[in-house]
């Protein structure tokens, strides 16, 4: 029996974001919240290994009460338990404070029911920092493998994992002792079409909420805005580019369009490096 | 993962209006009801013109208004617009009994409304299983006892299944309740654009006194280019819905693109000023069953009933479909309760579903209008000649200043008879009358 | 009566359907296509190829003159093609649960 933990985040669906034509800024209102796509793949990978080895999957997330929906989705994908860390005092946490909050909760879970392998998404699509997974690994002093693309082996008897990870130049195969922490690329597993019993279980899921006092007592100077060293001094909207030239495929034909686009790109030298 | 059999007292297929109603009624009585819906959530697949009818909503929830239904504007003006190529004659009613509270009809957007309607069923105790497609039935000894779905380990059992799958009644066909797929002459394809405009603009352009006033208009004539079909206009709060539906048969014959037909309507000189400057919020398309009574499947069999569009319960001329779906859903829910009380789910017990519906406007109207779709298919003049004539006639009438009026009437008369012989006109009127009265 | 001639096609405005489809939200199934042409040869022999016209989202497009391609990801699941394909050459299913068009307004 194996105990897998996946840490997830609910994020705004950035494929659904529109830009306000007047101010040029993002319209956040009404944007649906989704399970961070990389996290979904991480859960799918955990579910695959649960099927192979038998065992259970715990999901953990920090977020507002509405993040229950993301936990529900993880149950649908095959997870067994979902814990929501939700408290006003957590609000405004940066990646530093967030990794503290998560690490302490995970420590608590690990004490009660030892975890073999921890999964994070590569990064969240709203902040794109890719810092929280590594932050948690460091605090817990677990080996960290980022950008994991494939789990070759989980060997509980000998206490190691074999993981493939992607770098810009090559694929590496890493052996790490358990418990280890992975941050996952989408290739790590395909999202399954959930079985009906899992879907029904997710629909019946009732949130298990942990606060800043219970069951873990947090140091209030280390959480929320107060505990966050990151200071955003100013935000701005990048200047909008002039729209480029438009060629209608319907008017000039497909071949002509492709040729034109290529010519433009090459003459702007924007693809030159690819050709060399 | 458990290998336990998934079992409910009632399974409803489809969380549309019929489905969520059937489920609410059965759940209110304490039955364990599942609604299986293929959309991501109820409403995501549903699409109409259109207007909902207060009588049907209040019949299910007498405290409707306390529940704050997400309706758009009440319909305080309704009727026909007759389009000629470049003009329009309006024949609408407003005020009078239309304004009596509660208003008879409300414009709605189905994605929002159906999601809310399903929530009401949930509050009654129904369990909604979204994102799941029902694919077939499970039988035991010739009786339906469950459904299969497209999910792994996806079988769900219940002694009574209520099929509310909408116009594409694939499951109804699979079950053998009807022996053929939809025929091109028995369904219309409607395409629609929802166009956002400020409430002020809508009021000003359509002559509505306030946001508490709205329109439901059937548009006849040039909009369908002579094909059997209708256009429509409905006012949401901050948007207008404009669409056109023509029979599949007509699409087949003319080979026109539905979205071009719609665009032509939107560019009509009498329509374009209404939507000028508006933004397209959503486009969509959906079939409307128009076969009515003649295309109605058998409504029940051992262990299953069918309600709503799936059972061809639409009165196309009056844009009545939602209320029929709701009333039929309710009747099916009541019958499921009765079957559970008896502990008998045979066709004989479920036949009381049909008996119940006979007493309601659903079956009465559908029977009365049974000749309508054939009538419209055979009388394209109703879509073209008469609306154009009407425009000519009214145009003449109101511009005949300084002309002897006897000549005016002659001209009007000639504008009709040059289009269609007097005998044919009389014949048209008689058969239209018959199709409506149903004799 | 030849209806094809009866409707004056000149009268119809040209519409770029893809622009209009930008208003729709889809959840695309990357793994399974719910529409398929059963026998491509039948389409090659089909002279009129009415699917190119009757589909309300223009899913069906002529390719190299005589074959037909389906842009499944634009499908809004109305059912017209199942009924109107003159050779019943389209295998028509709904997408898997949760996939396909998702109306925001309806
Ligand atoms: C353009 C247009 C305008 C209209 N205007 C009006 C109007 O103004 N007034 C009026 O009263 N009526 C109007 N109608 C008709 C009305 O919309 C329908 O009669 C009504 O929606 C029927 O409700 P239903 O519950 O039977 O079907 P639907 O509302 O179609 O619901 C069927 C449900 O079943 C689900 N489903 C289907 N198959 C499966 C499956 N295998 N597994 C799981 N789920 C499945 C679907 O996703 C859907 O949620 C209009 C229709 C159209 C197209």
């Amino acid at each position: 029996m194996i105990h897998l933990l996946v840490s997830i985040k609910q994020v705004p669906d950035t494929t659904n974001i529109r830009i306000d034509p007047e101010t040029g800024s993002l319209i956040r209102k009404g944007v649906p919240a989704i399970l961070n796509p990389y996290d979904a793949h991480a859960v799918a990978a955990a579910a695959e290994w649960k099927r192979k080895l038998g065992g259970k999957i715990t999901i953990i997330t920090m977020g507002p009460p509405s993040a229950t929906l993301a936990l529900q989705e993880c149950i649908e994908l095959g997870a067994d338990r979902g814990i929501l860390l939700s408290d006003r005092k957590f609000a405004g946490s940066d990646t530093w404070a967030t990794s503290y909050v998560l690490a302490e909760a995970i420590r608590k879970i690990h004490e009660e029911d030892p975890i073999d392998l921890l999964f994070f998404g590569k990064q969240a699509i709203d902040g794109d920092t890719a810092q929280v997974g590594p932050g948690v690994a460091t605090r817990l002093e677990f080996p960290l493998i980022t950008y994991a693309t494939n789990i070759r082996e989980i060997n509980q008897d000998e206490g190691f994992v074999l993981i493939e990870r992607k770098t810009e130049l090559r694929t590496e195969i890493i052996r790490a002792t358990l418990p280890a922490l992975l941050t996952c690329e989408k290739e790590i597993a395909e999202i399954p079409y959930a079985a009906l019993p899992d879907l029904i279980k997710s629909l019946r899921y009732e949130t298990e909420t942990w606060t800043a006092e219970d069951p873990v007592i947090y140091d209030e100077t280390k959480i929320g805005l107060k505990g966050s060293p990151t200071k955003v001094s100013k935000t701005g909207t990048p200047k909008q580019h002039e729209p480029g030239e438009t060629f209608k495929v319907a008017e000039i034909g497909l071949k002509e369009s492709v040729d034109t686009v290529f010519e433009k790109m090459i003459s702007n030298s924007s693809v030159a490096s690819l050709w060399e | 993962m458990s290998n336990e059999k998934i079992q409910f007292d009632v399974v409803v297929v489809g969380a549309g209006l019929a489905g969520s109603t059937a489920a609410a009624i059965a759940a209110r009585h304490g039955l364990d009801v599942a609604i299986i819906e293929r959309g991501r959530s109820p409403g995501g697949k549903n699409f109409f013109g259109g207007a909902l009818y207060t009588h049907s909503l209040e019949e299910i929830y007498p405290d409707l208004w306390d529940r704050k239904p997400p309706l758009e504007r009440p319909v305080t003006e309704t009727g026909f617009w007759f389009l000629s190529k470049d003009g329009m004659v309006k024949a609408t009613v407003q005020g009078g009994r239309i304004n009596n509270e509660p208003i008879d009809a409300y414009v709605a957007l189905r994605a929002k409304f159906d999601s809310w309607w399903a929530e009401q069923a949930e509050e009654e105790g129904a369990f909604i299983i979204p994102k799941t497609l029902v694919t077939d039935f499970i039988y035991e000894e010739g009786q339906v006892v469950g459904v299969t779905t497209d999910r792994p380990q996806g079988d769900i059992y219940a002694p009574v299944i209520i099929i509310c799958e909408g116009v594409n009644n694939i499951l109804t066909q699979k079950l053998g309740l009807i022996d053929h797929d939809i025929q091109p002459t028995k369904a219309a394809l409607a395409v629609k654009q929802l166009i956002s405009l400020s409430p002020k603009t809508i009021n000003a352009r359509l002559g509505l006194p306030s946001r508490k006033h709205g329109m439901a208009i059937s548009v006849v004539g040039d909009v369908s280019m002579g094909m059997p079909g209708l256009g429509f206009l409905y006012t949401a709060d901050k948007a207008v819905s404009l669409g056109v539906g023509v029979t599949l048969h007509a699409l087949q014959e003319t080979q026109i693109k539905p979205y071009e037909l719609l665009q032509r309507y939107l560019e009509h000189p009498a329509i374009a000023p209404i939507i000028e400057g508006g933004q397209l919020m959503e486009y969509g398309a959906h079939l409307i069953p128009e076969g009515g009574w003649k295309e109605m499947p058998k409504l029940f069999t051992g262990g299953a009933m069918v309600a709503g569009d799936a059972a061809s319960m639409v009165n196309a001329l009056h844009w009545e479909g939602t209320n029929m779906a709701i009333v039929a859903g309710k009747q099916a829910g009541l019958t499921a309760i009765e079957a559970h009380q008896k502990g008998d789910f045979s066709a004989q017990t479920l036949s009381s579903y049909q008996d119940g519906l006979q007493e309601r406007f659903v079956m009465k109207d559908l029977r009365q209008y049974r000749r309508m779709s054939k009538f419209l298919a055979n009388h394209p003049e109703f879509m073209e000649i008469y609306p154009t004539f009407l425009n000519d006639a009214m145009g003449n009438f109101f511009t005949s200043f300084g002309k002897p009026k006897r000549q005016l009437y002659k001209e009007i008369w000639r504008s009709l008879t040059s289009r269609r012989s007097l005998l044919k006109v009389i014949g048209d009127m008689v058969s239209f009358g018959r199709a409506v009265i149903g004799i | 009566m030849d209806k094809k001639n009866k409707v004056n096609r000149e009268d119809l405005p040209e519409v770029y359907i893809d622009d209009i489809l930008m208003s729709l939200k889809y959840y695309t199934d990357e793994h399974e296509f719910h529409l398929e042409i059963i026998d491509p040869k039948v389409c090659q022999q089909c002279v009129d190829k009415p699917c190119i016209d009757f589909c309300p989202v223009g899913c069906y497009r002529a390719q190299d003159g005589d074959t037909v391609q389906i842009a499944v990801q634009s499908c809004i699941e109305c059912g017209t093609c199942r009924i109107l394909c003159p050779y019943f050459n389209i295998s028509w299913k709904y997408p898997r649960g949760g996939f396909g068009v998702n109306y925001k307004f309806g």
Side-chain angles (χ1 to χ4, degrees), chain B residues 147-170:
Chain B
V147 295
T148 61
T149 68
D150 66 343
R151 291 203 172 264
Q153 300 167 267
D155 295 354
I156 306 185
Y157 291 82
V160 52
I161 312 290
I162 306 176
I163 307 164
C164 306
E165 59 178 330
V167 56
N168 285 301
N169 57 357
I170 310 292

Side-chain angles (χ1 to χ4, degrees), chain A residues 242-261:
Chain A
E242 286 293 306
E245 284 172 86
T246 307
F247 304 96
K248 286 214 159 126
V249 177
E251 283 162 17
I252 61 173
L254 187 63
K255 185 171 175 338
E256 180 71 22
S257 319
V258 173
D259 288 348
T260 313
V261 171

Side-chain angles (χ1 to χ4, degrees), chain B residues 52-61 117 322-324 326-327 361:
Chain B
L52 299 171
Y53 304 108
T54 315
H55 77 87
S56 59
L57 309 181
E58 285 181 341
E59 179 171 338
I60 310 304
Y61 300 105
W117 194 246
T322 59
N323 53 347
M324 294 200 175
I326 288 171
V327 168
F361 72 99

Side-chain angles (χ1 to χ4, degrees), chain B residues 155-222:
Chain B
D155 295 354
I156 306 185
Y157 291 82
V160 52
I161 312 290
I162 306 176
I163 307 164
C164 306
E165 59 178 330
V167 56
N168 285 301
N169 57 357
I170 310 292
L171 296 168
T172 308
Q173 294 169 34
K174 270 201 176 147
L175 197 50
L177 295 177
I178 191 162
D179 66 2
H180 56 271
D181 199 355
I182 304 165
Q183 307 289 303
T185 51
K186 299 290 163 39
L189 176 69
V191 290
K192 174 186 103 167
Q193 286 193 11
L194 181 70
I195 296 169
S196 76
L197 287 167
S198 77
K200 261 200 191 134
T201 310
I202 296 175
N203 296 344
R205 291 185 184 168
L206 293 171
L208 295 165
S210 79
R211 284 165 92 159
K212 293 271 161 280
H213 294 76
M215 276 185 178
I217 306 293
S218 297
V219 182
V220 187
D222 185 63

Side-chain angles (χ1 to χ4, degrees), chain B residues 111-332:
Chain B
K112 284 195 220 166
F113 186 84
D114 287 20
S115 131
W116 177 83
W117 194 246
E119 271 168 31
Q120 307 312 299
E122 239 174 341
E123 275 178 25
E124 301 284 356
F127 183 63
I128 300 174
I129 305 176
K131 300 194 276 190
T132 304
L133 179 71
V134 174
T135 49
D136 210 337
F137 299 91
I138 306 168
Y139 301 87
E140 263 167 33
E141 294 164 15
Q143 172 102 2
V144 179
V145 295
V147 295
T148 61
T149 68
D150 66 343
R151 291 203 172 264
Q153 300 167 267
D155 295 354
I156 306 185
Y157 291 82
V160 52
I161 312 290
I162 306 176
I163 307 164
C164 306
E165 59 178 330
V167 56
N168 285 301
N169 57 357
I170 310 292
L171 296 168
T172 308
Q173 294 169 34
K174 270 201 176 147
L175 197 50
L177 295 177
I178 191 162
D179 66 2
H180 56 271
D181 199 355
I182 304 165
Q183 307 289 303
T185 51
K186 299 290 163 39
L189 176 69
V191 290
K192 174 186 103 167
Q193 286 193 11
L194 181 70
I195 296 169
S196 76
L197 287 167
S198 77
K200 261 200 191 134
T201 310
I202 296 175
N203 296 344
R205 291 185 184 168
L206 293 171
L208 295 165
S210 79
R211 284 165 92 159
K212 293 271 161 280
H213 294 76
M215 276 185 178
I217 306 293
S218 297
V219 182
V220 187
D222 185 63
V223 59
S224 66
M225 298 179 86
M227 296 179 267
L230 279 178
F232 55 82
L233 177 149
Y234 292 90
T235 50
D237 183 32
K238 290 183 263 183
V240 289
S241 276
L242 288 141
V244 51
V246 291
T247 65
L248 291 180
H249 180 69
L251 274 186
Q252 189 174 40
E253 298 269 290
T254 55
Q255 286 206 15
I256 60 156
K257 295 183 165 66
Y259 42 89
E260 291 182 356
L261 183 67
L262 174 57
Q263 188 60 33
R264 182 175 173 277
Y265 168 44
L266 299 180
E267 289 174 11
H268 187 280
I271 300 294
I274 300 173
I275 51 173
E276 199 200 307
Q279 290 281 331
L280 171 62
M281 288 169 79
E282 195 169 71
Y283 169 74
H286 203 281
L287 294 181
I288 307 174
E290 303 216 312
W293 178 266
K294 299 219 160 149
E295 286 299 306
M296 204 173 253
K298 209 169 158 273
L299 295 181
F300 59 90
T301 181
M305 295 174 268
V306 52
D309 275 11
S312 184
M313 294 173 180
V314 171
N315 182 337
L317 194 72
H318 288 252
W319 294 110
E320 277 183 288
T322 59
N323 53 347
M324 294 200 175
I326 288 171
V327 168
K330 173 185 169 190
Q331 207 60 44

Side-chain angles (χ1 to χ4, degrees), chain A:
Chain A
M1 299 290 261
I2 192 162
H3 186 192
L4 305 169
L5 179 137
V6 192
S7 175
I8 62 126
K9 184 179 184 191
Q10 191 177 46
V11 294
D13 183 355
T14 48
T15 61
N16 239 317
I17 285 181
R18 283 161 203 241
I19 309 254
D20 185 325
E22 270 159 36
T23 62
S25 60
L26 298 182
I27 304 175
R28 286 172 186 273
K29 209 181 119 214
V31 178
I34 56 166
L35 173 60
N36 180 40
Y38 294 104
D39 303 352
H41 288 269
V43 177
E48 264 177 25
W49 283 90
K50 175 181 123 173
R51 259 195 305 282
K52 279 186 210 165
L53 303 173
K56 61 169 177 268
I57 300 173
T58 303
I59 308 288
I60 186 167
T61 189
M62 186 181 90
S66 62
T68 292
L69 288 176
L71 288 174
Q72 223 174 21
E73 205 173 324
C74 298
I75 308 269
E76 179 185 333
L77 296 175
D80 300 275
R81 179 182 179 195
I83 299 169
L84 173 64
L85 307 174
S86 193
D87 197 309
R88 274 179 194 289
K89 294 186 184 128
F90 295 145
S93 296
D94 66 359
T95 55
W96 179 268
T98 301
S99 56
Y100 165 68
V101 172
L102 290 173
E104 292 313 305
I106 292 169
R107 203 189 299 281
K108 172 88 184 156
I109 297 166
H110 190 54
E111 272 164 22
E112 287 170 2
D113 189 354
I115 302 163
D116 299 289
L117 190 58
L118 296 86
F119 298 71
F120 282 66
K122 166 174 96 166
Q123 65 200 46
I125 58 168
D126 56 348
D128 284 330
T129 66
Q131 289 169 356
V132 173
V136 170
T138 311
R139 288 172 189 275
L140 296 174
E141 296 181 14
F142 290 161
L144 166 70
I145 302 157
T146 51
Y147 308 112
T149 53
N150 184 27
I151 302 172
R152 286 207 177 172
E153 188 182 348
I154 302 178
N155 192 324
Q156 281 178 277
D157 296 336
E158 295 175 34
F160 71 86
V161 276
L162 273 187
I163 306 291
E164 286 175 23
R165 76 184 285 267
K166 190 166 76 175
T167 72
E168 267 163 33
L169 300 174
R170 58 181 168 260
T171 298
E172 299 171 346
I173 299 162
I174 309 258
R175 185 189 153 116
T177 52
L178 295 177
L181 190 151
L182 318 178
T183 75
C184 302
E185 295 275 1
K186 288 186 179 173
E187 295 96 307
I188 193 103
E190 273 188 7
I191 309 229
Y193 191 53
L196 189 61
D198 288 336
L199 177 63
I200 290 179
K201 195 164 79 182
S202 81
L203 295 166
R204 300 213 149 119
Y205 166 73
E206 280 175 29
T207 327
E208 177 182 350
T209 307
W210 289 13
T211 65
E213 282 98 40
D214 182 36
V216 178
I217 301 166
Y218 285 95
D219 176 348
E220 290 195 14
T221 63
K222 292 190 181 169
I223 60 174
L225 265 183
K226 259 187 280 169
S228 298
T230 314
K231 296 284 174 266
V232 178
S233 55
K234 193 174 170 222
T235 61
T237 312
K239 262 223 192 86
Q240 282 204 11
H241 291 288
E242 286 293 306
E245 284 172 86
T246 307
F247 304 96
K248 286 214 159 126
V249 177
E251 283 162 17
I252 61 173
L254 187 63
K255 185 171 175 338
E256 180 71 22
S257 319
V258 173
D259 288 348
T260 313
V261 171
F262 257 105
E263 255 165 53
K264 297 268 167 204
M265 284 164 79
I266 290 168
S267 68
N268 289 342
S269 75
S270 54
V271 286
S273 62
L274 276 179
W275 293 117
E276 281 158 11

